[in-house]
């Protein structure tokens, strides 16, 4: 008899309430696929963009890009995973908010025994993002300075710790004084409350007027101009998200006027498209966690059936660190 799994589906785009749990059939894995029984799923801001329609998808669609669990069955041609293995992934297509699924195996990674399912589900998408931001987009050296927005969030708290372990000066921003204190506790050298302070001015003060080498900006519309203004000449603007809304079109000539600035807009999914690269990024992340350079902060846990509440909290800026759905 065909198995079924609780799966979070949205039939139309909109607020958190469009998410519903449906019982969906789960078959056998085909070539290059695995069937994985989830123990925990990760929540990420990209899930909000997809649910709200900012990143359009065919509807109805399942949601969620990340989970950890146990491999139940392996399709032909899959050599890096076996039945019974603990495993974890950040991967497309969306559909990770579920008890169990069949999916392509290329981005599924063996999960080391000393990393829990919950930590695994909380860290893959956010942690591999930090990996490429620090080592691939523009490789950073000890002593470099970075301005990192939303420093107390999921990606943010990993970035603070990663920077500390690499000798990089990370100036964070966050929306409350409590969040700023958390970012500093996790390795940010400074953190500015960008809801109450003139943060581009503070960044200039902290850098003795020079500006930072790199800005990592996932807030988008509300911070883009101030981020450019915080860079030193020849500095690099990495725009990698739009939590406050997408950055409006702008005149490229501004980059020249502001000091030959560089600008890029990367995505994790380009970086992990290649199987070997994905596995090596995951190993780098596991190494950081196993060495205790990076601790995964699970700030919120919601049962899968409370997914609507989980989305509401993430979007309302009520969360810190990573958020997971428990099975
Ligand atoms: P977070 O846990 O960081 O949550 C988002 C945070 O953004 C909020 O907590 C809030 O922190 C801040 N924020 C600022 N303005 C707003 C706003 N108007 N509405 C809501 N939140 C706002 O999420 P994630 O760790 O999952 O992701 C962080 C960012 O990184 C997202 O923008 C995401 O899309 C991006 N990302 C991009 C990737 C890529 O490869 N391009 C991959 C992974 C993530 P505060 O209250 O402190 O302002």
């Amino acid at each position: 008899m065909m198995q079924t799994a609780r799966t979070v589906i949205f039939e139309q785009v909109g607020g958190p309430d469009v998410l519903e749990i449906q019982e969906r059939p789960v078959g056998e894995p085909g070539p290059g696929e695995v069937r994985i029984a989830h123990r925990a799923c990760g929540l990420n801001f990209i899930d909000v963009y997809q649910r709200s329609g900012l990143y359009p998808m065919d509807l109805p669609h399942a949601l969620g890009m990340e989970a950890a669990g146990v491999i139940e069955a392996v399709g032909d041609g899959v050599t890096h995973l076996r039945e019974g293995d603990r495993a974890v992934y950040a991967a497309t297509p969306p559909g990770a908010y579920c008890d169990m699924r069949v999916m392509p195996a290329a981005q599924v990674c063996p999960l080391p025994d000393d990393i829990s399912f919950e930590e695994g589900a909380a860290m893959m998408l956010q942690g591999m993002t930090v990996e490429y931001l620090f080592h691939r987009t523009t490789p950073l050296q000890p002593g470099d300075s970075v301005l990192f927005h939303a420093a107390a969030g999921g990606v943010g708290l990993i970035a603070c710790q990663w920077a500390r372990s690499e000798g990089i000066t990370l100036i964070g921003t966050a929306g409350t004084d409590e969040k700023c204190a958390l970012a500093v506790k996790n390795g940010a050298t400074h953190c500015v409350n960008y809801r109450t302070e003139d943060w581009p001015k503070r960044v200039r003060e902290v850098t003795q007027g020079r500006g930072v080498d790199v800005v990592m900006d996932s807030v988008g519309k509300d911070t883009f101009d101030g981020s450019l203004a915080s860079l030193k000449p020849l500095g690099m603007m990495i725009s990698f998200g739009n939590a406050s809304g997408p950055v409006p079109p702008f005149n490229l000539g501004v980059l020249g006027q502001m000091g030959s600035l560089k600008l890029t807009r990367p995505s994790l999914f380009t970086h992990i498209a290649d199987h070997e690269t994905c596995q090596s990024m995951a190993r780098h992340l596991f190494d950081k966690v196993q060495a205790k350079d990076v601790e995964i902060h699970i700030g919120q846990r919601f049962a899968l059936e409370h997914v609507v509440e989980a989305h509401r909290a993430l979007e309302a800026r009520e969360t810190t660190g990573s958020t997971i759905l428990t099975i």
Side-chain angles (χ1 to χ4, degrees), residues 74-99:
V74 174
D76 287 345
V78 177
T79 55
H80 69 291
L81 293 164
R82 276 181 294 194
E83 195 183 318
D85 279 355
R86 303 170 81 249
V88 68
Y89 65 85
T92 54
Y97 295 175
C98 64
D99 294 323

Side-chain angles (χ1 to χ4, degrees), residues 188-272:
T189 35
H190 301 81
C191 190
V192 187
N193 181 336
Y194 53 11
R195 290 174 115 172
T196 58
E197 292 191 61
D198 180 349
W199 55 271
K201 184 162 166 255
R202 289 282 295 126
V203 173
R204 285 283 156 191
E205 285 166 9
V206 167
T207 57
Q208 284 83 42
R210 285 192 296 271
V212 290
D213 296 298
V214 177
V215 180
M216 298 181 181
D217 186 336
S218 66
V219 171
K221 180 171 67 65
D222 288 355
T223 47
F224 186 77
D225 292 341
S227 292
L228 290 182
S230 299
L231 281 164
K232 70 182 195 189
L234 303 173
M236 165 71 95
M237 167 73 169
I238 306 175
S239 171
F240 73 104
N242 1 251
S244 67
V247 176
F250 95 116
N251 173 6
L252 272 183
V254 168
L255 298 177
Q257 290 158 17
M258 295 185 81
S260 303
L261 303 181
K262 296 162 218 158
L263 168 64
T264 184
R265 202 328 182 167
S267 159
L268 172 67
F269 297 99
T270 324
H271 291 80
I272 62 173

Side-chain angles (χ1 to χ4, degrees), residues 34-38 68-72 87 89 99-101 103 108:
V34 288
R35 188 172 71 233
I36 178 166
H38 289 159
V70 177
I71 301 295
E72 285 202 331
Y89 65 85
D99 294 323
M100 188 193 346
R101 71 187 292 200
M103 64 179 297
V108 182

Side-chain angles (χ1 to χ4, degrees), residues 30-316:
E33 292 182 333
V34 288
R35 188 172 71 233
I36 178 166
H38 289 159
R39 296 286 192 270
C41 315
L43 207 75
N44 292 284
F45 221 86
I46 189 172
D47 309 339
V48 172
Y49 305 145
Q50 292 171 344
R51 190 215 70 220
S52 65
L54 182 63
Y55 293 177
M57 293 160 74
D58 294 335
L59 298 178
H61 213 296
L63 200 62
M65 311 291 275
E66 169 177 53
V70 177
I71 301 295
E72 285 202 331
V74 174
D76 287 345
V78 177
T79 55
H80 69 291
L81 293 164
R82 276 181 294 194
E83 195 183 318
D85 279 355
R86 303 170 81 249
V88 68
Y89 65 85
T92 54
Y97 295 175
C98 64
D99 294 323
M100 188 193 346
R101 71 187 292 200
V102 169
M103 64 179 297
Q107 278 71 38
V108 182
C109 308
L111 178 65
D113 287 341
D114 55 350
I115 299 179
S116 71
F117 289 120
E118 290 201 347
E119 286 170 317
M123 71 190 233
M124 290 304 279
L125 199 150
Q126 296 164 353
M128 289 197 292
T129 297
V130 173
E131 204 271 357
Y132 85 69
L133 288 172
F134 279 68
H135 300 281
R136 297 169 198 263
T137 307
T138 179
L140 295 170
Q141 307 298 326
D144 286 349
S145 56
V146 175
L147 171 61
F148 199 104
H149 294 303
V155 181
L157 285 186
I158 297 174
C160 290
Q161 298 173 78
W162 203 294
R164 177 168 59 190
S165 75
E166 301 278 336
I168 291 160
T169 300
L170 185 147
I171 303 166
T173 61
T176 66
D177 293 347
E178 291 73 23
K179 286 186 178 188
C180 282
L182 186 61
V184 168
K185 193 169 164 216
N186 280 276
T189 35
H190 301 81
C191 190
V192 187
N193 181 336
Y194 53 11
R195 290 174 115 172
T196 58
E197 292 191 61
D198 180 349
W199 55 271
K201 184 162 166 255
R202 289 282 295 126
V203 173
R204 285 283 156 191
E205 285 166 9
V206 167
T207 57
Q208 284 83 42
R210 285 192 296 271
V212 290
D213 296 298
V214 177
V215 180
M216 298 181 181
D217 186 336
S218 66
V219 171
K221 180 171 67 65
D222 288 355
T223 47
F224 186 77
D225 292 341
S227 292
L228 290 182
S230 299
L231 281 164
K232 70 182 195 189
L234 303 173
M236 165 71 95
M237 167 73 169
I238 306 175
S239 171
F240 73 104
N242 1 251
S244 67
V247 176
F250 95 116
N251 173 6
L252 272 183
V254 168
L255 298 177
Q257 290 158 17
M258 295 185 81
S260 303
L261 303 181
K262 296 162 218 158
L263 168 64
T264 184
R265 202 328 182 167
S267 159
L268 172 67
F269 297 99
T270 324
H271 291 80
I272 62 173
D274 172 67
H275 168 73
E276 287 303 332
T277 310
C278 176
Q279 300 291 325
S280 100
M281 289 169 71
R283 275 194 299 274
H284 194 178
L285 172 61
F286 296 149
D287 287 348
K288 283 281 189 194
V289 172
Q290 289 172 316
K292 304 207 184 307
D293 286 340
V294 171
E295 185 194 333
I296 303 303
H297 290 264
I298 302 175
Q300 304 68 220
R301 289 175 172 79
F302 295 87
L304 180 70
E305 56 271 28
H306 295 147
V307 63
V308 169
E309 202 185 316
H311 265 238
R312 195 202 54 72
L314 182 61
E315 235 176 324

